[in-house]
Amino acid sequence: MEKRSFSIAGHRTSIALEPDFWRGLEAMASSRDLSLAGLVREIDESRDTTNLSSAVRLAVLAWYRDGGATAPE
């Protein structure tokens, strides 16, 4: 697990994800021309779960599932 901190909606928050999810999140942000913080903010604002790390994982999985990118080999 790797932990990173972001400022979202005026407060600091940390997210712990596995390296593969960080790579997926970075690819997702790059494809949408967003910073990681910007993408995490969007995920935070639209999540249905109380856990931000889980919401990020689900967003990355959905992005790959829906054809946002090819899965890493």
Side-chain angles (χ1 to χ4, degrees):
M1 296 289 265
E2 181 181 334
K3 188 178 250 187
R4 297 189 195 180
S5 297
F6 298 92
S7 281
I8 300 173
H11 68 278
R12 298 287 289 170
T13 190
S14 294
I15 302 171
L17 298 173
E18 296 78 5
D20 287 338
F21 279 104
W22 282 118
R23 283 190 288 276
L25 189 66
E26 290 165 349
M28 187 177 171
S30 177
S31 76
R32 298 183 55 201
D33 201 26
L34 291 171
S35 66
L36 276 180
L39 179 56
V40 171
R41 184 183 65 249
E42 283 188 5
I43 293 168
D44 183 45
E45 291 171 351
S46 64
R47 66 183 159 137
D48 293 329
T49 180
T50 59
N51 185 290
L52 181 56
S53 294
S54 293
V56 168
R57 285 184 187 92
L58 291 172
V60 170
L61 287 172
W63 183 68
Y64 279 105
R65 179 197 65 219
D66 296 342
T70 55
E73 297 179 15

